[in-house]
Each structure stands twice: as C-alpha cells, then as structure tokens.
Amino acid sequence: MNPEDYRKGPVTLRGTQRPDRTTDQRLLENAGGADWLHADPWRVLRIQAEFVEGFGALAELGPAVSIFGSARTPPGHPHYAAAEEIAAGIVQLGYAVITGGGPGIMEAGNKGAKEAGGVSVGLGIELPFEQGMNQYVDLGVDFRYFFTRKTVFVKYSSGFVVLPGGFGTLDELFEALCLMQTHKIDMFPLILVGRDYWQGMIDWLSSTVLEHEVISPQDLDILRIVDTAEEALQALREVSGKAP
C-alpha cells in the first residue's frame, strides 16, 4: 500500500493529480446557485454505478461476517492479533471475511482470512489518508461514497465483529444498531470485542440513554460484549448453529 496513492473508486491518483476534496465532500457541500441542476443528475448515475459494481462483485460471495476496528492498530498489537484469530475462526465456520480493506484491524482481518484459506474481501473508500487496499485482500471493491459502501457491508454480512476503533468504527456499529432497532434489517450477531474498551459505552447506553427513555431495554440486547477472540467465535457458533 503506497501512502502516496489516492484511491478514487477504481482510479489511482498521485502527485499533482491528487484532489483536495473527496467525492463525498463535493456531493454534500452547498455552494449556492443552480449548478447542482447540471451536476447532480450525473452524480446519481455514478452512485448507481457504485451499487451495481458492489452488488455484482459480491453477489456470489455466500455467507460472510464483517470485521471492523481501527485503521491505526499496528501489527503486533493484541487487538491486531485478536482480529487475525477471529478471522481465521470465521473461515473455519464456513464464512467469508469482509473488512474495509485498509490497514490496522482491517488488514489483520483480511490476513487471518487469507492465511486460513478463506475468502478475504475488502470494501475500500476514498479518503484523504489511510487509503489503499491491503495486500491480503483477494476480492476488493473501492467506493467513492460512504453510504453505498455501508449498504454493501450490511447487505452481504451475516454478522459484525467490532474491535476497538474510532469514529468510522462507531459509525458502522451504530448504523447496524439503528437498522436492526427499526427493523430495516433482520437481527444478526453484533459482537463487541474488548470489555475494557466498550464497557464505558455500554454503561452510558444502559444508564443515561435508557434513563432518558430514548431507547428501550431490549435495544441493548442487540449487542454482545466479549473479551477474547475465542469468546467472539463461540458467540458466532451459537447463532450459526455450529456450537459444539
């Protein structure tokens, strides 16, 4: 993964060709005037093309589990090792592994899947940093728009395993929570790995958020928190009917 590369969908840009704004920025900004009348219809076709590309690439993938976590986690870190172990175990359960295709936890998930002989999938995104598909991805799709990428994640995942991460990880986590809470998608395993990292968030949800009556007690049942890779895999075995 070359840090000088800028991935823009299927296109790689370097040097003076690197843009100063992402495609999402240009879509969401409101610069005034009526230019959107001429530009946005073409953007709709590009968005449609991203859905077609993503759906076409993963249509025959079969059951898969997505692994999320920080792009900043280095090899050798306990979270990196846990992601590798979980990914290998997911493959042994008969699932493909999907990640965001980047470094850190994503790389660990793809590495664990590939070295276990499974299908290693990466769904990349155009960003001004942390960009490029890691070397362990066998099937990779690069997206310009976060919302098309998140749709593909949800559509082709039978479960989410979430390791410690930042805003991007939290975004994926709460997207899945919201979709299940509102019955937009069927319930699937949503496993948080690392009690020391996640317990504070769970405590806040079960006290402050619940006490304000903006969620229901059963909404918290969607989440399952574990400490180890083996506990995460055992949770997946239970819901897949493959528990010993």
Side-chain angles (χ1 to χ4, degrees):
M1 182 169 55
N2 187 340
E4 297 300 316
D5 290 355
Y6 186 99
R7 297 288 299 181
K8 187 175 182 181
V11 179
T12 299
L13 301 171
R14 295 174 180 152
T16 59
Q17 295 300 305
R18 289 174 61 95
D20 58 358
R21 294 181 300 161
T22 67
T23 307
D24 269 327
Q25 282 179 289
R26 291 193 296 274
L27 171 67
L28 297 173
E29 69 185 1
N30 181 9
D35 288 347
W36 65 270
L37 285 171
H38 308 289
D40 280 0
W42 290 106
R43 287 198 179 110
V44 170
L45 293 177
R46 176 177 287 171
I47 292 165
Q48 177 181 326
E50 285 210 344
F51 279 121
V52 171
E53 189 80 24
F55 292 169
L58 273 63
E60 298 179 351
L61 178 64
V65 173
S66 287
I67 295 177
F68 296 100
S70 176
R72 306 183 188 191
T73 304
H77 192 284
H79 296 159
Y80 190 104
E84 278 191 82
E85 183 179 345
I86 291 168
I90 288 170
V91 168
Q92 292 168 5
L93 289 173
Y95 295 91
V97 171
I98 305 175
T99 80
I105 295 297
M106 295 175 281
E107 178 184 286
N110 290 128
K111 181 181 179 183
K114 185 179 181 68
E115 293 184 348
V119 180
S120 173
V121 181
L123 304 180
I125 184 67
E126 176 191 347
L127 290 174
F129 53 86
E130 294 173 356
Q131 189 50 217
M133 205 70 74
N134 69 67
Q135 62 180 313
Y136 302 104
V137 171
D138 293 321
L139 172 58
V141 183
D142 282 302
F143 293 87
R144 291 181 173 91
Y145 300 103
F146 266 115
F147 58 89
T148 57
R149 179 187 187 231
K150 288 197 288 186
T151 300
V152 175
F153 264 121
V154 172
K155 180 174 175 62
Y156 292 102
S157 295
S158 301
F160 281 6
V161 177
V162 189
L163 286 95
F167 289 158
T169 302
L170 294 171
D171 180 47
E172 297 288 0
L173 169 60
F174 280 97
E175 175 91 6
L177 276 172
C178 181
L179 290 172
M180 284 190 272
Q181 180 206 45
T182 55
H183 304 287
K184 292 295 184 182
I185 61 173
D186 292 334
M187 294 290 178
F188 61 58
L190 215 172
I191 301 166
L192 306 179
V193 182
R195 192 175 302 274
D196 60 339
Y197 188 86
W198 296 110
Q199 191 62 55
M201 183 189 76
I202 298 298
D203 292 344
W204 173 69
L205 290 171
S206 58
S207 58
T208 303
V209 180
L210 186 59
E211 287 172 5
H212 280 74
E213 299 182 346
V214 291
I215 62 171
S216 302
Q218 61 267 27
D219 292 336
L220 295 173
D221 295 338
I222 300 172
L223 292 166
R224 179 161 178 176
I225 187 168
V226 301
D227 271 321
T228 67
E230 179 52 38
E231 288 175 337
L233 291 169
Q234 180 60 28
L236 289 172
R237 292 187 195 105
E238 290 170 7
V239 297
S240 66
K242 297 180 180 179

